[in-house]
């Protein structure tokens, strides 16, 4: 994979963030998502890849662009699989709340799990805890292991969990174990990445969220040397049938980073609203500043990039 692709991908997520950044707090999540999607799609056209969207905005009949199976890129260069969420956290963007990002990952063809749009149980941690977690064990036992690996107390750990009724039991157990909790309303990709950044204030992402978001999180964690366990959560037989149609037959399989994001992975994200990992788009007279992270699994290089955009010379925004 051409290493310059990583820096090209930043342009894609910056464009998406700048486009939906104008919709922060406006109460219109659909308009924000559409703006991000159109900008991401437009910017992808300038990149020398033969990309196939495998994690996207929906099936072909659901999404006008960036749908599953869509071909993107200039059509020359590497054959790659693309996983996108042009605006991960549409609700939080529309309310001006923390944690929304524009994100994309690519890998060699066949590398991504073609995750159906359903739930996935997830545990995500950083490099210091690689090989330590086990999704079959209780939250308490996982926290004990993480604290030991980090040479700290459970009370020093912070766990990020989606604020949902399905997590009430786990939240109670984690509180009883002594760890701190950061409940989020939406957006569990950014916290999974933050868990792999020492000093971010996040030690573990835990709980049930979207399976497509799990592939994006695993892409980043693979590049960072982090660890993740995922297990699909089927709500009904229709979801089981759809998974089967997508080639999934072991419904109890525990997915690791390599299962979710195999191959030569490149990941990029740009903050839309402020978060633990990236600050949101900041506007000033004549321009805006974006904050992004880009990383490659081959080199394990992680770049945090602040870009200042001059709208007089880039009139799209
Ligand atoms: C999850 C999470 C996402 O939406 O998919 C969530 O992974 C949906 O969960 O980051 P609910 O069905 O319980 O609302 C996000 O938070 C945002 O897309």
């Amino acid at each position: 994979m051409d290493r310059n692709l990583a820096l090209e991908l930043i342009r894609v997520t910056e464009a998406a963030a700048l486009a939906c950044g104008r919709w922060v707090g406006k109460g219109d999540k659909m308009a924000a998502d559409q703006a991000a999607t159109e900008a991401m799609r437009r910017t992808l056209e300038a990149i020398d890849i033969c990309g196939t969207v495998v994690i996207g905005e929906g099936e072909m009949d659901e999404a006008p662009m960036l749908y599953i199976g869509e071909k993107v890129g200039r059509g020359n260069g590497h054959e790659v699989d693309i996983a996108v969420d042009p605006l991960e956290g549409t609700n939080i963007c529309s309310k001006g709340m923390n944690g929304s990002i524009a994100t994309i990952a690519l890998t060699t063809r066949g590398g991504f799990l073609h995750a159906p749009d359903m739930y996935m149980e997830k545990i995500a941690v950083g490099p210091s805890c690689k090989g330590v977690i086990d999704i079959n064990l209780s939250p308490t036992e996982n926290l004990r292991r993480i604290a030991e690996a980090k040479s700290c107390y459970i009370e020093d750990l912070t766990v990020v969990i989606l604020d949902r009724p399905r997590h009430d039991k786990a939240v109670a157990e984690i509180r009883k174990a002594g760890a701190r909790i950061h409940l989020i309303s939406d957006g569990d990709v950014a916290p999974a990445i933050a868990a792999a950044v020492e000093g971010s204030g996040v030690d573990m992402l835990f709980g049930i969220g979207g399976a497509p978001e799990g592939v994006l999180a695993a892409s980043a964690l693979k590049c960072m040397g982090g660890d993740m366990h995922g297990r699909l959560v089927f709500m009904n037989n229709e979801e089981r049938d759809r998974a089967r149609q997508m080639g999934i037959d072991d419904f109890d399989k525990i997915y690791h980073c390599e299962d979710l994001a195999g191959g030569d992975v490149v990941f990029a994200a740009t903050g839309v609203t402020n978060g633990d990992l990236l600050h949101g788009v900041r506007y000033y007279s004549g321009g805006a500043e974006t904050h992004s992270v880009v990383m490659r699994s081959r080199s394990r290089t992680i770049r945090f990039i602040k870009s200042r955009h001059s709208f007089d010379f880039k009139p799209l925004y």
Side-chain angles (χ1 to χ4, degrees), residues 88-89 119 122 162 164 166 186-188 209-210 213:
E88 148 65 357
Y119 286 135
K122 309 170 198 176
L162 280 168
R164 298 290 192 278
R166 61 180 178 263
D186 272 305
D188 69 354
E213 288 82 357

Side-chain angles (χ1 to χ4, degrees), residues 85 87-92 99 117-120 122 162-167 184-191 205 207-214:
D85 201 341
L87 178 53
E88 148 65 357
T90 54
N91 285 324
I92 41 186
D117 189 12
M118 55 183 292
Y119 286 135
M120 174 180 278
K122 309 170 198 176
L162 280 168
D163 187 8
R164 298 290 192 278
R166 61 180 178 263
H167 294 147
I184 57 173
S185 60
D186 272 305
D188 69 354
V189 175
L205 168 80
I208 296 172
E213 288 82 357

